[in-house]
Amino acid sequence: MSQRIPRLIHSLTPVRHFSAFKRENRRVVVTGVGCVSPVGVSVETAWKNILSGHCGVVKLTDSAFDKLPCRVAAQIPKDDFDISKIFTKSELKSMSPAIAYSLIATKEALSQSQWLPMEIKEQNRTGVAVGIGMVDLVDICEAYDALQKGYNRVSPFFVPRILPNMAAGQISIKYGFRGPNHSVSTACATGAHAIGDGFRFIQRNEADVMVCGAGEASISPLSFAGFCRLRALSTSFNDDPQSASRPFDEKRDGFVMGEGAAIFVLEELEHAKCRNAPILGEILGYGCSGDAAHLTSPREDGLGAFLAMQRALEDAQLKPEDVGYINAHATSTPIGDAIESRAITRLFGDHASKLAVSSTKGAHGHLLGSAGNLEALFALLACRHGQFPPTVNLNSISEDMKSVNYIAKVSQSWPDGKRRVAVKNAFGFGGTNASLCIAEFKD
């Protein structure tokens, strides 16, 4: 028997004609974007407000938050945005707010991309990669309360509302997209991972078009209590909410929770050109890593962030000096911002002082699972329009972080010269990291 095993293994070993199956990576461009955010419920409004330094952080007025250490959040402006006027009551029963936000942002992105395929072949080559970082805790609490009154009081839509893949599912069903139907849930790196995974699907010819991003709607007393117990939220600015989110600033004391969604339509370059689609920019590279260190904190030396950025640049076949801007993850926590700054300095060396670095979270807070994609949108627009978005509330930088060139308070113009290239970082609890390399489109 022992003599037969090697022969059996040999007989099952495939012939290694690798060259016959080798594919060149395809170029991936962005042809549409959409967003629902605390700084605007359209891309045009959000970008205008980001450049002007507008802040969407407000004081929470619900009495349920009164006894909690943090009482501020970055909420979607409710005065001019009411999802009950966008969806029917029946539709809203089947979806959480995060799913609703994702559908609204998708509609804007597909409209800009001019991509609403009716032919089966085109629908089969269009996929969805949209995630949710945290399920709706309000839904869970309400379902549990209903169960105490009787089994029949639990909504039949309870499970579909809380599954993290249902934003992707609802988008796929609505538009008939039968390409890869994919969802990631990697905490605060969710949206960046979704864009990166969609990029890979197209790059490797598994789809021609991918709808990518994430949605998040986690502002509730229970989620606040949990994050406060972790000492993750800002608690020093309850009476001055617009000063609470302050990435890289010496007085930062925790993040401010936000809500919303941002969606990208990614497309293979030749496919986009053949139909004269608008090309807003290009995804050049994608890098992932794990910190392998701690449940909630990154490694002190920033190795996880360093590796994600390094791998994104390697994937894009770029050198550190080719990058002009970094949209940092920087959530406004004392430890996290300093570690990311350390990682940037380590990877970019002397070029770090010439890089423009900012975190738009000062304006829109931290959207958890939908942070990386919303901020990737602003990095894309920075490359497209040649403007660096500012870091709101960045007044004073500590000595150990001054080796990096931060864009503070006021937007700046991108210097003329070589191709505009940006890196977007997103890091999550559990030590999960993602970096995207984004650039202006050059044919």
Side-chain angles (χ1 to χ4, degrees), residues 182-194:
H182 177 64
S183 178
V184 296
S185 186
T186 49
C188 304
T190 296
H193 275 134

Side-chain angles (χ1 to χ4, degrees), residues 229-381:
R229 291 290 290 157
L230 284 172
R231 298 184 180 179
L233 296 183
S234 172
T235 59
S236 300
F237 299 91
N238 288 328
D239 295 321
D240 184 13
Q242 297 210 334
S243 298
S245 185
R246 44 196 322 111
F248 299 121
D249 188 74
E250 278 191 318
K251 292 184 179 179
R252 66 189 187 277
D253 73 327
F255 74 80
V256 173
M257 196 182 297
E259 61 182 356
I263 297 293
F264 280 54
V265 177
L266 303 185
E267 191 165 349
E268 191 273 327
L269 174 59
E270 295 307 318
H271 187 276
K273 290 168 79 171
C274 282
R275 65 182 191 86
N276 295 316
I279 297 179
L280 311 178
E282 184 171 2
I283 308 296
L284 300 180
Y286 170 44
C288 307
S289 73
D291 274 288
H294 189 269
L295 285 176
T296 60
S297 297
R299 283 174 56 116
E300 288 189 8
D301 61 3
L303 180 60
F306 172 88
L307 289 173
M309 289 186 287
Q310 183 186 59
R311 290 166 184 171
L313 292 183
E314 288 174 352
D315 189 38
Q317 299 181 38
L318 294 176
K319 299 175 182 177
E321 54 266 31
D322 294 324
V323 177
Y325 171 61
I326 295 179
N327 186 297
H329 177 68
T331 62
S332 189
T333 60
I335 295 174
D337 293 12
I339 289 174
E340 184 175 8
S341 180
R342 206 170 296 146
I344 292 170
T345 302
R346 178 180 175 185
L347 178 61
F348 290 90
D350 293 339
H351 184 59
S353 61
K354 302 171 187 175
L355 271 172
V357 178
S358 69
S359 171
T360 51
K361 286 186 177 76
H364 54 66
H366 184 17
L367 272 66
L368 305 182
S370 195
N373 47 314
L374 179 64
E375 293 153 27
L377 167 60
F378 296 137
L380 173 80
L381 295 176

